[in-house]
Amino acid sequence: MDPHLLRTFVAVAREGSFSAAAQELGYTQSAVSQQIAALEADLGVPLLTRRPVAPTEAGTRLLEHAGPLLLRLAAVRTELTRLAAAPSARLAIGLTPLAATDRLAAALARLRADLPQLLVTLETLPTARALAGLATGELDLVLLDGIAAPTDPLHLPEADQTPGSVLMVAEEPLLLALPDGHPLAGRRESGLPELVDARWIDAPEAAVPLAALRAAAHTDGFRPHLRYQGTDPHALTALIAAGHGLAILPRRAVDPRLTGVPIGRPRLLHRTELRLPHPGTPAGRRLVELLSD
Amino acid sequence: MDPHLLRTFVAVAREGSFSAAAQELGYTQSAVSQQIAALEADLGVPLLTRRPVAPTEAGTRLLEHAGPLLLRLAAVRTELTRLAAAPSARLAIGLTPLAATDRLAAALARLRADLPQLLVTLETLPTARALAGLATGELDLVLLDGIAAPTDPLHLPEADQTPGSVLMVAEEPLLLALPDGHPLAGRRESGLPELVDARWIDAPEAAVPLAALRAAAHTDGFRPHLRYQGTDPHALTALIAAGHGLAILPRRAVDPRLTGVPIGRPRLLHRTELRLPHPGTPAGRRLVELLSD
DNA sequence: TACGGTTACGCTTTTCGTAATTATC
DNA sequence: GATAATTACGAAAAGCGTAACCGTA
């Protein structure tokens, strides 16, 4: 199970074509065919159907493992490279859409004082991409957000890839965002279970994703009636205000034109967490120190 | 970063010798030398010092990743092999020392009725070995125990290796086990933080490991005054009764000769969890069904 | 000097590309 | 019949073992 073979298998499965994968990876179609054949021979199972090219049952299982495996492989490589390489004067930061950036911004200002010619890059991206960025070394630092029980760290899919420091940056209450006239708007607080069958807007990049609620509440409810793919908080506010459905947001992100009802019963918080991989960059480590004060 | 090279590197680091690793893996000393050289060339960093043979800083980092990586690689292989192979009439179960086995025993009895000629094997082993056994296919099913917040699953080191089913088998209160005359014995309950600096017995195989308490309480207290390596509950009871120190146990495991004070404040429970890898064996799946009723 | 890791060298195996072949839509 | 995967084959590279070669206790 050479990583090389794994990589081409993933590419073929993603592209749905041997030739497309070959082009993508800089091989000939023949080489890819041979690699897949080698992998299937090694594992003793067909991994792909041909015409159309699609993963078999076994192939699907392998795909579930291949991603994390390749990511971790990349993570080791960056880790060791960083250990040896000259410290760079760059700090590439990845942010998930709802990450609380106040303390980060303040700390960055102080970091500027220490390292005037540091090039700081900020980029907003989904959680999975942020973790992948850490692994490949494209990012030096990420700020992730999600929901968690009071003192617990975030529960990330495919986590503990990159051992490193985890620093809690912010914890704030979760609010149910409602249009002003809504029947629930008068409530002092609301429990999550009673909201399972409400009319929900799934806005994975502008509010707490419904999938995260399902995971936290151990249920398969919270089904979306409307999905908003964008990141614009105003657009989401408008949708909620117009009565298209509800969403759950960290307090800070609830527009004043809406009513926010605290979520009570399962004690859950919106948590923002900084992750600095091992060993990190000098600027990253310094930033963590500044944030720890 | 061929898994082959990784495996060799791990062996060399563990043995502290190229020749010993070569013998262990069935290579010549020369081949091992070349493999390590290739790995170092690939990563661009020396991984081992020679004479004496010991991991460098970079080598240590690589070792931290190599274990999980190889384990996961093994897990995929078993998973795919199981998918293809004929269903075996074997059920190898791994148990961690404090796993609650009542429901398992009952379910096994009912399983016997369905599958009279099934060979069931039970084996007690540490958590890490149990997870490794699942990965390699030596075990079909494991019962793990640990401490966790009320509805949360166990937080395992190097977890989510093997995607599969997780079934909660038992949750029971944690008790502080005390000798009868102890000052704390009169208390109705006790909080964990106030116990950080007590006189502790670390009995990782006969009680909740102190390391688990440290992790759960986010502290580096709970330092052992005495360590008991065995698994015998009577021996531990004798040590506690003789005043050598305290230990925390699931309620069921506290000997009647001792006083058990419930742990209050951080709401923690002793949890026993069954893990069945994907796709598992037929007998394993049947057992999970029986346990789910 | 001896023990143990490295290097040189040759053989074998693997791997890839070109090109001919086959199979499916 | 065209598109796309497979197979055949030769060239290049990688991997391992034997054996000669250091470098350190």
Side-chain angles (χ1 to χ4, degrees), chain A residues 184-190 260-262:
Chain A
L184 287 172
R187 301 277 287 273
R188 231 190 80 259
E189 70 168 39
S190 173
V261 174

Side-chain angles (χ1 to χ4, degrees), chain B residues 90-94 119-123 139:
Chain B
R90 178 202 79 160
L91 183 64
I93 302 179
L119 172 61
V120 177
T121 317
L122 293 162
E123 186 185 357
L139 297 176

Side-chain angles (χ1 to χ4, degrees), chain A residues 42-61:
Chain A
D42 176 28
L43 295 172
V45 198
L47 299 169
L48 296 163
T49 62
R50 324 293 150 106
R51 263 175 223 277
V53 173
T56 61
E57 171 69 22
T60 308
R61 292 290 157 72

Side-chain angles (χ1 to χ4, degrees), chain B residues 1 8 14 22 31 34 60 65 73 130 160 181 193 223 237 258 266 278 280:
Chain B
M1 249 184 311
T8 306
R14 175 163 25 88
Q34 293 176 57
T60 308
H65 288 276
L73 243 2
D160 54 286
R223 291 294 156 190
T237 298
L258 299 176
H278 233 47

Side-chain angles (χ1 to χ4, degrees), chain B residues 29-55:
Chain B
Q29 186 197 45
S30 161
V32 169
S33 180
Q34 293 176 57
Q35 289 187 16
I36 299 297
L39 194 56
E40 290 181 323
D42 176 27
L43 295 172
V45 198
L47 299 169
L48 296 164
T49 63
R50 324 293 150 104
R51 263 176 224 280
V53 174

Side-chain angles (χ1 to χ4, degrees), chain A residues 76-159:
Chain A
V76 196
R77 178 155 261 127
T78 15
E79 195 172 320
L80 298 196
T81 307
R82 285 238 179 90
L83 258 183
S88 89
R90 180 203 76 162
L91 183 63
I93 302 179
L95 306 166
T96 50
L98 289 177
T101 48
D102 300 11
R103 285 181 62 198
L104 177 74
L108 272 178
R110 285 186 285 163
L111 185 67
R112 255 287 122 66
D114 295 6
L115 305 165
Q117 59 242 20
L118 180 73
L119 173 62
V120 177
T121 317
L122 292 163
E123 188 186 356
T124 299
L125 25 71
T127 308
R129 287 260 304 281
L131 291 172
L134 270 193
T136 57
E138 291 156 40
L139 297 176
D140 300 314
L141 200 78
V142 296
L143 235 60
L144 302 172
D145 78 283
I147 60 185
T151 62
D152 281 11
L154 292 179
H155 192 45
L156 298 173
E158 307 180 359

